[in-house]
Amino acid sequence: MCSRVISNSWKACLLFVCVFFSGITVKADDSLYSPNKKIGVSWDNPAKELRVIYKKGDTSVPVVQLKNIGLQLQPTSGDEFNYVSSSAVTSIREDYTMITGKRRHCTNEGNQQVFHFKNAQNVSLDLELRVYDDGVAFRYVFPQPTKEIGVTDETTAFVFQEGIIRWTQKLNQAYEDFYLKNKGRVQGYTAAQWGFPALFEVADSVFTLISEANVAKGNCGSWLNNASSASSYKVEMAEPINVSGRWCSPWRVAIIGSLFDVVESTLVTDVSEPCRLSDVSWIKPGVVSWIYWAYNHGSRDYQIIKKYIDFAADFHLPYMLIDAEWDEMGNGGNVEDALAYAKQKKVAPLLWYNSSTAWCAFGPLYRLNKPEMRQKEFAWLESMGVKGIKVDFFSQDSISTMNYFVDILEDAAKYHLMVNFHGAPIP
């Protein structure tokens, strides 16, 4: 795993260094193309940026410029990273299977080049750049064990042409809002922060969807900020991080093509780490009967829960989700009675949990936060025939939240529990 990170919260002082690649001496005509030659990325050395183009028939469509490529570091180093060398172009070909999602059998082809940089303190930094047939992905890597480094922010900005239409979601803690059609500003919205993913129509029927992928344990999530310019979307890290040893940032991805290409793309999973489970036979996504829309507090009432279990049984649905406040269930039975009734009706139950990290006081609370409590709870769930959990109300894209996601997934897998994250940043 490329994620050996010390995840202490970094309390930065005012001094920092902007690590721009201003010392790059790459030839202006150096370009990296997708295997099908429809997508190209070129260095613009005077402007110190990457330019992405898309071939639509015989026309080259400018997609996006990647400006200010680099990281902000602390403590102050007093110098910049300078270009050292670049690798040969290597081919990427992958073939893997997904349990759920857009496509079961996934394949991809791409070309990769790694650009090596170093500063006067002998700290090495790599930029790994990949160009696939359906988009572009890049990330930053500290390739060698180093002394602890404070990464205070990322300076990368996705810069689009003025006036193009885009669909962006105002950033909020739960990532639950409408995607607003706009041209960079939204009337009445004074902030300039937008959640991933974000969709842009860069030319007639040519789109790009930008997001992040493979946010490994020890990294924070990020979002976009276009405060400086309506069409310049800077990547903004949720918080500074301390890194030690080999470290990789999350991948930044831009899926490119028609709407069909965007919808069909598996680029986010293509660049993410492979599954580490040897047995996935117990993971069976399916349709769920769910009480929330009709009964916001229905999980308190055993009789209503029974009706939804009956509904799932009558319509041959595999699952029934017992939502919030089941720890207060009454009116003829408790949660154990409900689970026994589901087993009798041959319906697999799922249970809701509060992450106990954010704004909601619905119970059950504080059952998953500590490893020993979480594993005790998961062992009980497995013994009661529960097949999965829904975990709700997470705080924003912090390191602790990203670590919590992974901790829940790793422990849930030990007890054959599927997981649905809700009211959460994109995991």
Side-chain angles (χ1 to χ4, degrees), residues 43 46 70 73 133 184 207 212 223 232 244 257 273 284 322 327 331 350 352 368 426:
W43 286 104
L73 300 187
D133 286 344
F207 295 82
E212 62 182 352
W223 51 78
S232 179
S244 181
E273 294 177 18
K284 298 176 181 178
I322 302 175
D327 55 329
N331 192 19
L350 312 175
W352 183 97
L368 305 184
I426 56 172

Side-chain angles (χ1 to χ4, degrees), residues 339 349-351 381-389 415-417:
L339 297 177
L350 312 175
L351 251 61
L381 292 174
E382 186 180 40
S383 72
M384 296 297 293
V386 174
K387 298 300 181 183
I389 58 172
Y415 298 94
H416 300 139
L417 296 170

Side-chain angles (χ1 to χ4, degrees), residues 7-79:
S7 60
N8 299 336
S9 192
W10 180 265
K11 296 184 178 179
C13 60
L14 293 176
L15 296 175
F16 61 87
V17 57
C18 292
V19 187
F20 296 85
F21 293 143
S22 56
I24 293 174
T25 55
V26 182
K27 292 184 292 184
D29 59 350
D30 280 357
S31 297
L32 183 65
Y33 290 95
S34 59
N36 64 7
K37 305 297 183 184
K38 293 185 73 172
I39 299 174
V41 181
S42 62
W43 286 104
D44 185 331
N45 201 43
K48 302 177 183 70
E49 65 189 33
L50 288 166
R51 293 184 176 181
V52 183
I53 60 99
Y54 174 78
K55 282 280 191 179
K56 185 183 179 183
D58 295 328
T59 304
S60 291
V61 176
V63 176
V64 66
Q65 294 169 282
L66 302 175
K67 293 190 175 184
N68 298 338
I69 294 174
L71 303 172
Q72 292 179 346
L73 300 187
Q74 178 154 13
T76 303
S77 64
D79 61 3

Side-chain angles (χ1 to χ4, degrees), residues 121-314:
Q121 305 302 317
N122 207 34
V123 176
S124 296
L125 181 68
D126 287 349
L127 173 69
E128 292 184 1
L129 175 64
R130 295 182 181 181
V131 185
Y132 291 88
D133 286 344
D134 57 350
V136 172
F138 65 93
R139 69 176 176 180
Y140 301 104
V141 179
F142 290 122
Q144 301 174 6
T146 63
K147 294 181 179 179
E148 184 176 293
I149 297 173
V151 179
T152 62
D153 204 2
E154 182 175 329
T155 56
T156 317
F158 293 85
V159 182
F160 294 92
Q161 298 176 78
E162 298 287 343
I164 65 168
I165 296 172
R166 68 251 8 220
W167 291 262
T168 50
Q169 180 190 106
K170 293 183 289 184
L171 183 69
N172 69 76
Q173 191 156 298
Y175 278 67
E176 293 179 352
D177 210 332
F178 293 104
Y179 269 79
L180 303 173
K181 185 178 181 180
N182 64 89
K183 293 188 177 182
R185 301 286 190 231
V186 173
Q187 187 175 3
Y189 181 54
T190 55
Q193 294 175 315
W194 310 93
F196 283 127
L199 180 67
F200 301 80
E201 187 172 16
V202 298
D204 184 33
S205 299
V206 179
F207 295 82
T208 183
L209 182 84
I210 60 175
S211 193
E212 62 182 352
N214 204 54
V215 185
K217 201 170 183 179
N219 271 321
C220 63
S222 60
W223 51 78
L224 299 168
N225 188 319
N226 70 336
S228 63
S229 170
S231 291
S232 179
Y233 294 81
K234 178 191 169 299
V235 175
E236 190 168 73
M237 289 169 50
E239 62 180 339
I241 60 175
N242 295 341
V243 305
S244 181
R246 180 175 169 82
W247 170 83
C248 302
S249 74
W251 287 97
R252 311 302 178 202
V253 300
I255 300 169
I256 301 167
S258 66
L259 277 181
F260 177 89
D261 296 325
V262 171
V263 171
E264 288 282 298
S265 174
T266 57
L267 187 55
V268 168
T269 51
D270 290 346
V271 298
S272 295
E273 294 177 18
C275 177
R276 286 181 276 141
L277 300 178
S278 57
D279 175 22
V280 295
S281 61
W282 53 272
I283 304 175
K284 298 176 181 178
V287 180
V288 182
S289 69
W290 182 43
I291 70 171
Y292 180 83
W293 288 115
Y295 299 95
N296 194 352
H297 297 285
S299 292
R300 292 180 178 180
D301 192 318
Y302 174 65
Q303 300 305 324
I304 296 176
I305 294 297
K306 285 180 65 178
K307 289 180 180 180
Y308 275 79
I309 293 171
D310 289 341
F311 174 84
D314 291 343

